[in-house]
């Protein structure tokens, strides 16, 4: 990796060291005529091994860190690569346009669709622009507006969930953050078109479920989805922010745990080392998974889709082994 | 007989300590600090006679107040598997549940009851704040789902009484999913063209306010109660400013268009009867007063 400001996670240190050695070796070979092939292939093998062993047994806390990685592909990475003729639509027609909530229409593998998702931003400037991925009531009301549009024109809705949560602020409360989320969940349930939601990074509580009350809920291998942030849980239940690792463990927020609890439908495998190590591959994989699920859903009538969605949520929790 | 050693205590204590006024003869108003006589407080429906602060009300008293003559049938709720995540923080979740069950005599933080309100048979699903802060886990979700089913079956209005800090963290994502489940439940009531009235009491926050509690056809809030999405401490930490006076109180929500009616406790029943009877096209039976 040449990006010097890339964040290195604790368990990635070994990997970064080997990568640095490979980089130095390559540089050396450019200057002098030495044969580095043997050494290079040895290091490459070591790197692969290290990647696999580092990523084979990630703890929930390590997964949370990957889910929050600043280089992790975000909503617009998927939208730009997967949606042809993407046309962003703006505003809730009541108050403002919330840029955090990406919303629009386009074509996904030839099918007209509507798209929703939260964008977090990748550097300081864009993070401020996207309010760190925390949508305000106008964002959720924009989502509702787009859902109505999708329903009217029979466009399946694809959601890319990536938020630490809905924005907690005085202005958001004044404009009814609670109502905006509640109404958004309700709108999802009323849709007579397929709704496929993919948790691509962090699924943070009410702000996430507002656009994840879907027919199919997919999660990336290292993404997380939880009722409260691990930090919030630790400070409330343990009364200490230091207990964040224990909290993350207890909360069962990984894709694997949630699949076991039958709360999500499918896990999308990430490249070894996490989605941020091969964005193009990740985008393609996500596209395939959405396409497969969408094609299955397109066989059903609108009424059936709505019924199935409601039934799906009624069944949750009841279907666990007693 | 030694009068020093064999001193007989006067039997005043015994005379006073009958069951009625056992341990808390006096109660301190959490708002103004005034000491209030328990009997007086009972008469005023737990509203401070000094500053008009509405104290939190026990659930059975709330139901007595809302149903005609205080008569209602409690509906039994399906048994939920405890502790699906085997959750343990500083204490095991199962131990916490046990303690709250012992303390409140209830299985979880919800009661579903059916009875007449102004002569109109109605279903109330009410959350008990005394049970783990009224937090919404699977049991509360199931209660709302069941209440909606009964309302639809009996073609009667559904009333929810919210008093909750939000989702029950010890049930992790299963508690978050209750937001979708309860929303789906009240949505079915609305689709059946039956009134869904949401009563908001102190406090209604987090996952409960961001789901069924904010989706009523009509929202009735009790005077001064706290209603909001995010907790005040979280907001203060985010914006690093002091919060405005009256922020997230019932009156503030009404001003911002989120609540229809803000009532004093003693007016709530009448308002509810009015709304239900109008929406159900029935003449209210005002002779059947609530037990006070």
């Amino acid at each position: 990796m040449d990006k010097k400001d890339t964040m290195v996670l604790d368990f990635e240190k070994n990997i970064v060291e080997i990568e640095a050695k490979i980089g130095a070796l390559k540089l050396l070979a450019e200057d002098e005529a030495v044969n580095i092939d043997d050494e290079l292939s040895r290091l490459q093998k070591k790197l692969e091994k290290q990647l696999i062993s580092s990523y084979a047994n990630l703890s929930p806390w390590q997964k949370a860190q990957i889910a929050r990685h600043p280089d992790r592909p975000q909503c617009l990475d998927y939208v730009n690569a997967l949606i042809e003729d993407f046309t962003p639509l703006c505003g809730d027609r009541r108050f403002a346009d919330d840029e955090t909530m990406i919303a629009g229409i386009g074509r996904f593998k030839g099918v007209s669709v509507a798209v929703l998702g939260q964008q977090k931003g990748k550097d300081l400037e864009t993070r401020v622009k996207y309010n760190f991925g925390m949508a305000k009531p106008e964002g959720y009301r924009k989502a509702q507006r787009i859902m109505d549009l999708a329903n009217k024109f029979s466009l399946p809705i694809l959601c890319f969930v990536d938020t630490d949560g809905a924005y907690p602020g005085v202005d958001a409360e004044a404009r009814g953050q609670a109502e905006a989320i509640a109404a958004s969940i309700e709108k999802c349930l009323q849709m007579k078109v397929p709704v496929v939601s993919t948790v691509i990074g962090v699924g943070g509580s009410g702000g996430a479920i507002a656009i994840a009350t879907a027919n199919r809920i997919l999660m990336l291998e290292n993404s997380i989805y939880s009722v409260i942030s691990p930090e919030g849980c630790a400070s409330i239940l343990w009364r200490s922010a230091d207990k964040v690792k224990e909290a993350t463990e207890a909360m069962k927020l990984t894709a694997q745990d949630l699949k076991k609890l039958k709360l999500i439908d499918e896990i999308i495998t990430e490249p070894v080392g996490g989605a941020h190590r091969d964005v193009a591959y990740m985008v393609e994989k996500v596209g395939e998974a959405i396409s497969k699920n969408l094609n299955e859903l397109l066989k059903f009538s609108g009424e059936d889709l709505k019924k199935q969605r409601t039934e799906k949520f009624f069944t949750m929790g009841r279907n666990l082994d007693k | 007989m030694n009068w020093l050693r064999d001193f007989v205590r006067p039997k005043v204590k015994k005379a006073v300590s009958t069951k009625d006024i056992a341990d808390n003869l006096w109660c301190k108003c959490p708002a103004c600090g005034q000491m209030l006589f328990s009997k007086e407080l009972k008469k005023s429906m737990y509203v401070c006679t000094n500053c008009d602060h509405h104290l939190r009300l026990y659930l059975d008293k709330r139901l007595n107040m809302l149903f005609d003559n205080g008569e209602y049938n409690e509906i039994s709720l399906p048994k939920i598997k405890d502790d699906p995540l085997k959750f343990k923080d500083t204490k095991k979740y199962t131990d916490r549940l046990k303690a709250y069950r012992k303390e409140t005599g209830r299985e979880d933080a919800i009661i579903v009851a059916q009875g007449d309100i102004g002569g109109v048979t109605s279903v109330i699903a009410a959350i008990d704040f005394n049970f783990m802060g009224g937090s919404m886990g699977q049991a509360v979700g199931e209660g709302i789902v069941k209440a909606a089913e009964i309302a639809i079956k009996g073609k009667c209005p559904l009333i929810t009484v919210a008093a909750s800090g939000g989702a029950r963290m010890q049930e992790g994502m299963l508690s978050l999913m209750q937001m979708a489940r309860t929303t789906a439940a009240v949505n079915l009531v609305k689709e059946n063209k039956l009134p869904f009235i949401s009563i908001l009491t102190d406090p209604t926050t987090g996952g409960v306010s961001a789901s069924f509690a904010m989706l009523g056809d009509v929202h009735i809030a009790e005077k001064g109660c706290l209603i909001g999405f995010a907790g005040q401490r979280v907001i203060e930490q985010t914006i690093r400013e002091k919060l405005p006076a009256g922020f997230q109180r019932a009156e503030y929500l009404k001003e911002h268009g989120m609540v229809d009616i803000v009532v004093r406790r003693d007016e709530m029943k009448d308002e509810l009867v009015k709304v239900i009877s109008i929406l159900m096209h029935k003449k209210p039976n005002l002779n059947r007063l609530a037990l006070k």
Side-chain angles (χ1 to χ4, degrees):
Chain A
M1 285 194 200
D2 352 293
K3 278 183 272 175
K4 286 283 171 288
D5 53 354
T6 294
M7 189 176 88
V8 178
L9 305 173
D10 291 349
F11 53 93
E12 286 184 322
K13 274 188 185 136
N14 286 337
I15 298 163
V16 174
E17 264 168 34
I18 303 170
E19 276 177 341
K21 270 189 202 162
I22 294 176
L25 210 59
K26 279 182 179 164
L27 218 62
L28 189 77
E30 275 172 23
D31 295 346
E32 296 162 44
V34 282
N35 190 352
I36 56 160
D37 289 353
D38 283 355
E39 180 64 6
L40 200 60
S41 76
R42 191 186 67 82
L43 279 174
Q44 219 98 38
K45 262 184 204 150
K46 197 174 163 195
L47 178 67
E48 258 168 53
K49 255 189 173 166
Q50 187 66 51
L51 270 172
I52 291 169
S53 74
S54 293
Y55 276 83
N57 296 305
L58 291 176
S59 71
W61 174 238
Q62 287 170 328
K63 281 190 178 150
Q65 285 174 290
I66 301 174
R68 293 167 172 179
H69 200 290
D71 294 334
R72 191 170 175 83
Q74 298 186 358
C75 176
L76 282 176
D77 292 309
Y78 295 99
V79 172
N80 290 335
L82 295 171
I83 310 294
E84 278 169 71
D85 292 335
F86 178 64
T87 310
L89 300 175
C90 290
D92 63 352
R93 299 291 189 271
R94 286 174 170 85
F95 177 75
D97 181 45
D98 186 347
E99 291 191 77
T100 308
M101 186 63 75
I102 305 297
I105 49 175
R107 258 180 232 99
F108 173 68
K109 299 192 193 278
V111 180
S112 292
V113 294
V115 178
L116 294 171
Q118 296 102 341
Q119 178 79 3
K120 281 184 162 175
K122 298 195 172 181
D123 48 39
L124 189 62
E125 197 186 329
T126 53
R127 267 183 218 133
V128 170
K129 173 179 154 83
Y130 294 116
N131 197 30
F132 300 84
M134 294 185 288
K136 294 183 177 179
E138 47 273 25
Y140 293 105
R141 293 192 178 118
K142 169 161 77 171
Q144 289 160 43
R145 197 193 123 220
I146 302 310
M147 285 193 255
D148 275 334
L149 184 101
N151 206 40
K152 184 173 167 189
F153 294 102
S154 301
L155 312 176
I157 303 168
L158 311 182
C159 305
F160 297 93
V161 182
D162 193 12
T163 180
D164 292 332
Y167 181 66
V170 174
D171 53 339
E173 294 290 321
R175 293 196 289 278
Q177 187 68 287
E179 191 273 345
I181 292 170
S184 198
I185 297 173
E186 191 175 41
K187 190 67 81 186
C188 285
L189 287 160
Q190 291 167 342
M191 290 295 102
K192 291 180 180 171
V193 291
V195 183
V196 179
S197 291
T198 310
V199 182
I200 53 173
V202 178
S205 195
I209 199 168
I211 57 165
T213 309
N215 291 90
R216 296 286 163 87
I217 307 163
L218 321 178
M219 273 181 86
L220 267 58
E221 187 184 349
N222 296 314
S223 62
I224 57 170
Y225 191 5
S226 61
V227 66
I228 185 173
S229 71
E231 287 81 359
C233 183
S235 76
I236 294 174
L237 292 184
W238 277 265
R239 301 194 182 280
S240 151
D242 304 336
K243 298 286 182 188
V244 64
K245 281 182 193 168
E246 282 92 328
T248 317
E249 202 86 36
M251 287 165 78
K252 303 274 189 290
L253 45 61
T254 66
Q256 295 72 23
D257 283 328
L258 297 174
K259 182 87 188 351
K260 259 184 235 157
L261 289 166
K262 300 182 187 164
L263 299 179
I264 64 159
D265 298 286
E266 195 175 318
I267 298 173
I268 306 171
T269 317
E270 293 187 23
V272 178
H276 59 282
R277 289 187 167 265
D278 195 344
V279 175
Y281 173 88
M282 193 70 250
V283 166
E284 198 191 316
K285 276 274 169 200
V286 168
E288 281 169 17
I290 293 176
S291 172
K292 190 193 90 191
N293 281 282
L294 187 57
N295 285 334
E296 286 166 17
L297 292 172
L298 283 169
K299 290 176 196 144
F300 297 102
S301 70
E303 247 347 295
D304 282 349
L305 287 166
K306 179 171 175 254
K307 229 187 203 159
Q308 281 173 19
R309 200 179 307 116
T310 298
E311 215 33 62
K312 174 191 177 75
F313 282 89
F314 278 154
T315 315
M316 281 181 183
R318 285 182 186 162
N319 55 0
L320 296 176
D321 304 325
K322 296 268 172 196
Chain B
M1 189 170 161
N2 186 329
W3 67 273
L4 262 178
R5 239 187 317 126
D6 300 334
F7 171 74
V8 181
R9 281 181 170 278
K11 291 186 177 166
V12 177
K13 204 178 170 191
K14 205 179 166 194
V16 176
S17 66
T18 53
K19 262 267 147 99
D20 271 330
I21 36 172
D23 23 0
N24 36 9
L25 187 60
W26 295 94
C27 174
K28 198 174 166 185
C29 171
C32 69
Q34 174 82 20
M35 295 305 284
L36 303 163
F37 191 40
S38 283
K39 258 191 177 167
E40 286 290 309
L41 206 53
K42 227 179 198 174
K43 238 193 264 168
S44 69
M45 290 190 194
Y46 294 84
V47 173
C48 174
T49 46
N50 183 50
C51 73
D52 208 37
H53 175 70
H54 286 47
L55 281 78
R56 283 179 188 150
L57 194 61
Y58 281 104
L59 249 200
D60 45 347
K61 297 207 168 65
R62 172 80 62 190
L63 294 178
N64 276 338
M65 181 185 108
L66 293 177
F67 281 115
D68 296 347
N69 304 321
E71 286 165 10
Y72 58 89
N73 290 324
E74 199 176 325
I75 284 149
S76 70
L77 298 173
K79 179 96 182 84
I80 302 292
K81 191 193 172 209
D82 283 342
D83 193 18
L85 305 188
K86 308 214 175 355
F87 196 94
K88 186 176 173 255
D89 44 81
T90 49
K91 224 175 164 185
K92 274 190 190 161
Y93 176 39
T94 47
D95 290 344
R96 281 185 201 274
L97 277 176
K98 240 184 250 165
Y100 278 106
R101 280 174 186 158
K102 207 172 154 201
E103 195 184 309
T104 61
R106 285 188 228 294
E107 204 43 33
D108 211 292
I110 191 160
I111 292 186
V112 177
Q114 194 168 25
D116 286 359
I117 298 176
V120 180
T121 306
S122 308
V123 177
I124 296 185
I127 298 184
D128 187 359
F129 187 76
N130 289 310
F131 196 107
M132 283 187 98
S135 54
M136 178 163 73
Q138 288 197 89
V140 170
E142 207 65 52
I144 304 281
V145 172
K146 182 86 183 175
E149 268 172 29
I150 293 168
I152 293 166
K153 222 173 161 191
K155 295 193 173 51
C156 48
L158 172 69
I159 298 119
T160 59
V161 182
S164 169
R168 186 166 300 169
M169 278 174 285
Q170 289 88 347
E171 292 184 24
M173 273 293 285
L174 281 158
S175 74
L176 187 74
M177 290 305 173
Q178 303 313 314
M179 289 174 70
R181 296 184 86 213
T182 55
T183 300
V186 298
N187 192 37
L188 288 181
V189 174
K190 286 156 87 177
E191 283 179 356
N192 277 275
K193 297 205 180 344
L194 295 164
F196 165 44
I197 316 296
S198 173
I199 294 179
L200 308 151
T201 71
D202 196 54
T204 302
T205 58
V208 168
S209 70
S211 61
F212 69 91
M214 271 293 158
L215 295 171
D217 294 310
V218 176
H219 294 171
I220 304 176
E222 199 165 72
K223 181 180 179 285
C225 74
L226 181 84
I227 307 165
F229 172 65
Q232 301 210 338
R233 208 161 40 107
V234 176
I235 298 173
E236 265 175 339
Q237 280 166 2
T238 312
I239 60 167
R240 292 169 205 284
E241 277 171 46
K242 270 254 161 243
L243 298 172
F247 179 63
Q248 288 185 328
R249 296 287 157 189
E251 296 73 15
Y252 177 94
L253 268 95
K254 182 164 179 257
E255 200 179 301
H256 286 85
M258 290 297 143
V259 161
D260 296 290
I261 305 163
V262 177
V263 287
R264 295 174 46 83
R265 189 164 285 161
D266 55 9
E267 303 163 337
M268 183 172 284
K269 161 92 179 188
D270 290 353
E271 286 296 324
L272 186 61
V273 169
K274 256 199 290 179
V275 171
I276 290 178
S277 60
I278 292 167
L279 296 179
M280 294 296 279
H281 300 272
K282 284 193 179 158
K283 260 207 165 136
N285 184 347
L286 292 173
N287 298 325
R288 302 165 79 176
L289 293 171
L291 274 194
K292 292 194 175 172

